[in-house]
Amino acid sequence: MAKPIEDNSKLCIHTITTKPWNLEEASDAYAKNGVGGITVWRNVLDGRDIYQTGEMLRSKDLDIVSLCRGGFFPADSESKRKVAIDDNIKMVEEAAELGAPMIVLVCGAEPSQSLEKSRGQIQKGIEAVLPHAEEHNIKLAIEPLHPAYADTRSAINTMEQANDMAEKIDSEFVGVAVDVYHLWWDSNLKREIHRCGENNNLFAFHICDWKFPLDDILNDRGLMGEGCIDVPQIREWVEDTGFDGFNEVEIFSNRYWAMDQNDFLEKIIHAYKHKS
Amino acid sequence: MAKPIEDNSKLCIHTITTKPWNLEEASDAYAKNGVGGITVWRNVLDGRDIYQTGEMLRSKDLDIVSLCRGGFFPADSESKRKVAIDDNIKMVEEAAELGAPMIVLVCGAEPSQSLEKSRGQIQKGIEAVLPHAEEHNIKLAIEPLHPAYADTRSAINTMEQANDMAEKIDSEFVGVAVDVYHLWWDSNLKREIHRCGENNNLFAFHICDWKFPLDDILNDRGLMGEGCIDVPQIREWVEDTGFDGFNEVEIFSNRYWAMDQNDFLEKIIHAYKHKS
């Protein structure tokens, strides 16, 4: 059994989940509801003083869980790959300034080449960013994405591949972000979550649900309990590894973004308590 | 290297690929272009004399490769599962009448229960149909479907799972249909195709492409060469097992269905020759 959820202290919400809110609105509402953590999407930092933004979030007692999202390393030319690496290095500096201990990596895929080749470029990309991550004490979490995104978004599509990559790079600063939306279908998931924990690579846990029918593979994610993912079961596997971090709600949903965001937040908290 | 494609004798087209055509139009056009095989979707048999339909196709020198599609075994009640089994038994009889040596199984998934439980019901379903399949000399091909369909269409989402299932059932009448659209992203694909061949379970090979961006996960499949799947590479792996059957073009596409179907057939044949 997964541990019962007593309060919102281990609940983290991604700013993208409540996209219509600006960062002040989001952080106010999260804090007022006792939400313990916030994962900041990079777009909300545009035009802001990043250090002051971190101070503002900390003043509301929100843990900054991670900065989302780096990656997109594969490309069909050396110069494009260099641009991606430089941008990830810049993001490491932003995370340090913000006070986020971790960056989530959506690793990317270049559709004109094999997934294997893209994975090689991902490894090289992460290795190029790694010294900067170590210097600034920022962890890098590889997020395997659903195979439906293997064309352009990620050549890493299973926990097995993410584990392989993290173990090859073999640094305490490189691990894996487990997202139920991407991974729920995989019959090797329990085994690979266990392996991830054994290697101290389980860095983050993202939750939502897979609705059916799905209107849109990208922006029709469901609230926990609304679809076919057994979130409590996967949370149990994650906690069984000793993982004690946040349960991060990351929902892209045209439907929910069109709602009053206070009502949506209420739904998130209800689903977190009863269906996660 | 995959064998060069010299002519259309090993090309098979699924009737659903040219959905706007009725069976007379489709079979005339396929035959006129030297297409060697046809896979009949069950909907086109509605209201027809099935035996005469088979005779009509044979008179045009078309090999009837398979009848598509049975399956959908999992359900949340015994009575619904019985309905599914009965329907598959009826389909075996239809295949025999038509003269199709094989049925393709889209195995189904029941979203209110675990995928593991659905897979158990799939196994039981296939085992219940198997004696009828043996009696009528009809093969049953398990088609693993892309993980994006794990909610309702198939609890079997990788070649590894399809191989596991076929090997558990262990009958010369039960094997696997390899479809590049569903499987291309899997880093274990080469290994599992090899395994499938070694166990004499590789029954069918379906081709198309994965476009990007994809407008619709169901009805926006691409022609070979139009997306990111390395079809010749996968064909090589399939042929390396000794597979000598048809290359079956199965494309669901609102875009292509809206075209003149003769023009579309020309495109299929060109893509088959040059991009498969």
Side-chain angles (χ1 to χ4, degrees), chain A residues 151 160-161 187-188 210 212, chain B residues 148 151 160-161 187-188 210 212:
Chain A
D151 47 3
E160 184 179 31
Q161 291 174 348
S187 48
N188 298 324
W210 182 284
F212 54 93
Chain B
D151 48 3
E160 184 179 31
Q161 292 175 346
S187 47
N188 298 323
W210 182 284
F212 54 93

Side-chain angles (χ1 to χ4, degrees), chain A:
Chain A
M1 285 282 291
K3 289 180 203 155
I5 288 170
E6 311 280 7
D7 57 39
N8 298 332
S9 60
K10 286 284 180 188
L11 170 60
C12 164
I13 302 179
H14 283 228
T15 56
I16 192 85
T17 300
T18 56
K19 191 169 75 165
W21 273 339
N22 68 31
L23 193 56
E24 277 73 16
E25 292 168 324
S27 55
D28 276 352
Y30 300 174
K32 204 173 68 186
N33 285 280
V35 173
I38 185 168
T39 277
V40 176
W41 274 53
R42 206 180 177 194
N43 63 300
V44 305
L45 296 181
D46 274 355
R48 283 182 167 274
D49 179 304
I50 295 178
Y51 176 77
Q52 287 302 332
T53 300
E55 287 290 281
M56 184 265 282
L57 298 175
R58 280 181 289 277
S59 76
K60 297 178 186 175
D61 273 336
L62 287 166
D63 267 28
I64 303 171
V65 177
S66 59
L67 182 59
C68 216
R69 56 193 192 186
F72 292 100
F73 293 110
D76 57 6
S77 76
E78 184 76 38
S79 59
K80 287 187 203 160
R81 292 194 293 276
K82 172 82 166 56
V83 168
I85 288 168
D86 289 346
D87 190 53
N88 277 274
I89 291 171
K90 181 161 173 279
M91 197 174 163
V92 165
E93 290 160 4
E94 290 171 8
E97 220 178 322
L98 182 67
M102 177 161 62
I103 287 174
V104 178
L105 299 178
V106 168
C107 293
E110 167 53 50
S112 69
Q113 65 193 21
S114 73
L115 290 165
E116 203 175 351
K117 192 165 178 185
S118 284
R119 283 192 287 272
Q121 294 173 354
I122 290 167
Q123 182 177 344
K124 280 193 184 154
I126 295 175
E127 286 170 344
V129 176
L130 187 52
H132 304 268
E134 289 173 347
E135 185 194 337
H136 290 285
N137 204 26
I138 303 293
K139 289 186 169 186
L140 305 174
I142 298 164
E143 181 169 11
L145 255 55
H146 195 285
Y149 301 114
D151 47 3
T152 56
R153 274 199 180 74
S154 182
I156 297 183
N157 306 103
T158 61
M159 272 299 285
E160 184 179 31
Q161 291 174 348
N163 280 329
D164 286 350
M165 182 68 71
E167 290 168 26
K168 247 188 275 181
I169 297 176
D170 191 21
S171 156
E172 60 179 306
F173 286 90
V174 176
V176 179
V178 174
D179 186 315
V180 300
Y181 184 83
H182 297 301
L183 304 169
W184 71 279
W185 56 271
D186 184 356
S187 48
N188 298 324
L189 185 56
K190 183 182 178 183
R191 179 190 80 198
E192 293 296 325
I193 284 176
H194 180 76
R195 169 183 165 196
C196 192
E198 284 231 303
N199 288 284
N200 299 314
N201 282 335
L202 210 162
F203 283 6
F205 182 48
H206 297 180
I207 58 177
C208 69
D209 210 339
W210 182 284
K211 286 174 58 208
F212 54 93
L214 200 62
D215 290 335
D216 181 302
I217 190 88
L218 194 59
N219 292 326
D220 189 30
R221 293 192 184 195
L223 272 171
M224 297 74 76
E226 208 172 21
C228 51
I229 304 179
D230 190 344
V231 178
Q233 173 65 85
I234 300 176
R235 185 166 68 84
E236 182 187 330
W237 295 338
V238 165
E239 289 174 354
D240 279 350
T241 69
F243 179 81
D244 193 30
F246 282 88
N247 302 300
E248 304 182 40
V249 175
E250 184 188 31
I251 296 175
F252 317 137
S253 166
N254 293 325
R255 194 172 42 117
Y256 284 124
W257 289 331
M259 271 185 69
D260 176 284
Q261 295 297 287
N262 282 300
D263 294 347
F264 178 34
L265 182 57
E266 204 175 294
K267 282 178 186 290
I268 291 172
I269 288 172
H270 186 268
Y272 176 61
K273 197 157 286 175
H274 299 285
K275 303 288 184 177
S276 304

Side-chain angles (χ1 to χ4, degrees), chain B residues 44 80 84 95 119 146 167 225 267-268:
Chain B
V44 305
K80 286 188 204 161
R119 282 192 287 271
H146 195 284
E167 290 167 27
K267 281 178 187 290
I268 292 172

